[in-house]
């Protein structure tokens, strides 16, 4: 008897044996052949995951913008229970993250360890943030390929094997110079010119393949450049839009590494993380796609500087172009078309450029005043 039919038979007998009335949350198992590493001696239990509990048990890989104590985590923990959201990374968490709830070391390249974490903690949702961003990826292509592609394969296999709901973020960087730029629709040519972009297109395609082939509940949003107040940028092309706030408050001067007229889609962190939670909670039948663009605003360094100077007129902004980042930015979308996300699951952003600048200056300004006092 083919393995998979055996597994589903065992599953049915097991459930009848327990007289379990509840509808188990099982993997939508199709006639498939699992790759060898997914079928282990106790495989019969893998196809019968625990019945849907009242709330998901969430594992988040890789801090997000240093914002792991962000809306995403705070609202997840409020909604699902503090101990039901586990953060993981290969780097030590800041103390406020460490003391806010469960944190565990996890290297996504260590398949066995990742699998143990998922099983030992009965994880049902996986939010996979670990990755190398665009500029840092170009500086270390082999590490980016390993983390962003091999690491992703581990995540996909474990999610499919254990019937997890999986979120993987993609990016404006998943498009390239031959993609329409203004606006960029969900479905169009994607030939990115960075290892980061290539790895994110791979993530989109592999996630959708696992969804159609193995029934994996894969969900993906293409994030614009994300701007958050309490973190240092992670080595991306849009980092300038975070750095300007820190430098304006700290020194009153900012040297921008992109040309003044470089237009890119951007989003405030709270909008981004709310979108992530909303798409994760959307009923599957509302999703006509599994990978969506989400948009909030698009601006140039010049427009951002002008908005900052409305609050801090003395801030001096100069330009010293980083040609690697400039070439990447020139190949990316200028505006995102996110009409499918707005139609399918009601996406809408809250922060435009004036609200973003006001919020960022208030947050960083109050932080630096606190720092000066201390
Ligand atoms: N920041 C943005 O503007 C933006 C935009 C679009 C998409 N995204 C996506 O969001 C995610 C997080 O981005 P970010 O800005 O927080 O990046 P970041 O570089 O700040 O964080 C990435 C995290 O991954 C971790 N990591 C690296 N190698 C790892 C490994 N082997 N195992 C486990 N963790 C590992 C790092 O320690 C780091 O904490 C990424 O997938 C990125 O593609 C970010
Ligand atoms: C845009 C996003 O993916 C990231 N901030 C980068 O620039 O690489």
């Amino acid at each position: 008897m083919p393995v998979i039919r055996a597994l589903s038979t065992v599953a049915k007998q097991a459930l009848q044996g327990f007289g379990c009335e509840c509808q188990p949350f099982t993997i939508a198992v199709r006639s498939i052949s699992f790759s060898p590493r997914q079928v282990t001696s106790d495989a019969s239990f893998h196809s019968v995951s625990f019945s849907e509990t009242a709330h998901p048990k969430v594992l988040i890989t890789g801090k997000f913008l240093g914002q792991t104590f962000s809306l995403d985590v705070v609202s997840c923990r409020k909604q699902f229970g503090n101990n039901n959201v586990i953060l993981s990374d290969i780097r030590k968490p800041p103390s406020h993250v460490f003391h806010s709830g469960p944190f565990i070391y996890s290297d996504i390249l260590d398949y066995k360890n990742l699998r143990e974490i998922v099983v030992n903690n009965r994880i049902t949702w996986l939010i996979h943030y670990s990755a190398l961003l665009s500029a840092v990826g170009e500086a270390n292509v082999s590490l980016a390929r390993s983390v962003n592609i091999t690491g992703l394969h581990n995540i996909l296999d474990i999610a499919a094997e254990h019937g997890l709901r999986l979120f993987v973020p993609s990016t404006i960087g998943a498009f390239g110079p031959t993609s329409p730029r203004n606006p960029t629709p969900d479905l169009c040519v994607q030939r990115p010119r960075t290892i980061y972009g290539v790895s994110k297109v791979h993530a989109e395609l592999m996630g959708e393949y696992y969804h159609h082939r193995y029934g994996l509940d894969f969900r993906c949003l293409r994030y614009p450049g994300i701007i958050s107040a309490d973190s240092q940028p992670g080595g991306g092309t849009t980092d300038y839009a975070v750095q300007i706030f820190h430098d304006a408050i700290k020194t009153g001067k900012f040297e921008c590494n992109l040309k003044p007229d470089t237009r890119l889609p951007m989003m405030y962190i709270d909008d981004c993380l709310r979108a992530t939670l909303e798409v994760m909670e959307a009923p599957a039948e509302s999703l006509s796609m599994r990978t969506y663009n989400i948009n909030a605003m698009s601006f140039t360094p010049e427009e951002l500087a002008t908005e900052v100077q409305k609050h801090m007129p003395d801030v001096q902004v100069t330009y010293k172009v980083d040609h690697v980042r400039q070439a990447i930015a020139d190949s990316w979308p200028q505006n995102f078309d996110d009409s499918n996300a707005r139609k399918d699951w009601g996406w809408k952003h809250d922060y435009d450029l004036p609200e973003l600048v006001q919020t960022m200056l208030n947050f960083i300004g109050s932080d630096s005043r606190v720092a000066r006092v201390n």
Side-chain angles (χ1 to χ4, degrees), residues 208-279:
E208 293 188 6
Y209 173 76
Y210 270 60
H211 171 66
H212 294 294
R213 186 74 168 72
Y214 302 124
L216 173 64
D217 189 351
F218 169 78
R219 302 178 188 211
C220 175
L221 297 180
R222 295 190 187 110
Y223 291 169
I226 304 302
I227 299 165
S228 97
D230 68 350
S231 70
Q232 290 308 320
T237 302
T238 60
D239 288 356
Y240 87 88
V242 177
Q243 201 57 47
I244 186 171
F245 294 100
H246 295 282
D247 292 1
I249 286 169
K250 219 181 297 174
T251 65
K253 294 191 178 74
F254 174 63
E255 185 178 81
C256 183
N257 58 16
L258 291 182
K259 288 178 188 165
D261 64 348
T262 308
R263 182 170 301 283
L264 290 169
M266 300 279 187
M267 183 177 284
Y268 183 57
I269 182 87
D270 283 8
D271 271 346
C272 167
L273 296 168
R274 178 170 53 81
T276 304
L277 270 183
E278 286 176 2
V279 80

Side-chain angles (χ1 to χ4, degrees), residues 133-135 170-173 196 223-226 235-239 265 328 332:
L133 301 185
S134 57
S170 185
T171 162
I172 50 174
Y196 174 63
Y223 291 169
I226 304 302
T237 302
T238 60
D239 288 356
I328 294 172
W332 283 3

